[in-house]
Amino acid sequence: AGPSQIMSRELHEILEDIKSQLRERRGCSIKQLARTFKSNDLNGDGNFDFEEWSMVLNRAGIFLKTQEMARVFKAFDVDKNGKISYEEFLVGIAKGKLTGRRAKIALKAFGKYDENDTGIVELEVLKSVYDPSRHPKVLTGELKEEQAYKEFIQQFDGTRFGKKKERLRVTLEEFMTYMSEL
């Protein structure tokens, strides 16, 4: 294998690197990244060309090699207009298959329950709007409603049930990933 093959990473590895860099920057959530996008959207159209997008990620503390940045940009530019919107970025980072319309609906739904605009929704809030009685396995009697609820909640990373009195939460990224899998 030549040097370029050794140095080249798969797209999923680059995406994991982006997520890792976000996690390492405690306080830099997907929601804060959205704010960085908005504050750098000088013409207000919600779209960024490659240079603008690279600058936004660097300002958010995400650093990649130029060729990796270009590869991610090309993969995320789903409508192939040479620009990336925040929705395209979020869908791409979540590895989702949401269309632009579905992504916008999912973002709006999450925003409705993200009362403090933090990029995090308390699971108790989701429980209040999630109706497990309509779950197919509840309707057939295979599961009880609480089991269906736990199955739903366990779709999200970092969720634990047990004796600890911790507040269980869902991040915007987790929600978008979940929505893309429906």
Side-chain angles (χ1 to χ4, degrees):
S4 65
Q5 291 173 320
I6 294 169
M7 299 298 283
S8 180
R9 296 192 295 171
E10 295 293 323
L11 182 61
H12 71 90
E13 292 173 305
I14 300 168
L15 297 180
E16 287 306 315
D17 187 14
I18 292 171
K19 289 179 188 181
S20 173
Q21 289 184 49
L22 281 171
R23 281 190 298 271
E24 287 172 14
R25 293 199 63 215
R26 295 176 192 249
C28 185
S29 67
I30 293 287
K31 193 69 164 192
Q32 287 162 324
L33 188 58
R35 288 188 197 115
T36 304
F37 269 80
K38 281 187 178 183
S39 67
N40 288 285
D41 184 12
L42 302 178
N43 67 2
D45 72 351
N47 294 301
F48 300 85
D49 65 21
F50 179 73
E51 285 183 33
E52 294 168 322
W53 182 74
S54 299
M55 178 191 65
V56 167
L57 291 188
N58 288 332
R59 285 184 177 172
I62 298 171
F63 301 99
L64 299 171
K65 294 177 183 172
T66 304
Q67 67 190 33
E68 292 179 341
M69 193 79 80
R71 188 169 179 193
V72 172
F73 185 88
K74 185 177 179 182
F76 285 7
D77 183 14
V78 292
D79 59 7
K80 305 299 178 208
N81 67 352
K83 295 183 179 231
I84 290 183
S85 68
Y86 176 65
E87 288 82 8
E88 286 174 317
F89 172 77
L90 191 57
V91 169
I93 200 73
K95 297 187 211 171
K97 296 180 179 128
L98 295 177
T99 63
R101 184 173 176 269
R102 272 191 75 202
K104 286 180 183 178
I105 291 168
L107 283 169
K108 190 173 184 176
F110 187 89
K112 182 176 178 181
Y113 301 108
D114 182 9
E115 298 161 346
N116 300 317
D117 199 32
T118 59
I120 296 171
V121 172
E122 299 297 328
L123 290 180
E124 284 302 312
V125 172
L126 281 183
K127 186 176 182 179
S128 71
V129 294
Y130 176 67
D131 182 5
S133 69
R134 298 174 138 317
H135 190 289
K137 290 182 179 178
V138 171
L139 294 173
T140 64
E142 282 181 67
L143 292 177
K144 293 184 177 181
E145 286 186 27
E146 187 60 24
Q147 291 169 312
Y149 168 71
K150 285 182 180 181
E151 190 177 274
F152 166 73
I153 294 305
Q154 288 173 340
Q155 298 294 314
F156 304 106
D157 290 340
T159 303
R160 290 190 298 230
F161 286 90
K163 295 180 181 177
K164 286 191 172 186
K165 298 272 184 189
E166 60 184 276
R167 297 183 76 184
L168 303 175
R169 306 176 300 177
V170 174
T171 65
L172 177 58
E173 181 183 352
E174 290 171 327
F175 184 76
M176 293 301 286
T177 299
Y178 173 77
M179 293 301 291
S180 73
E181 293 169 355
L182 289 179

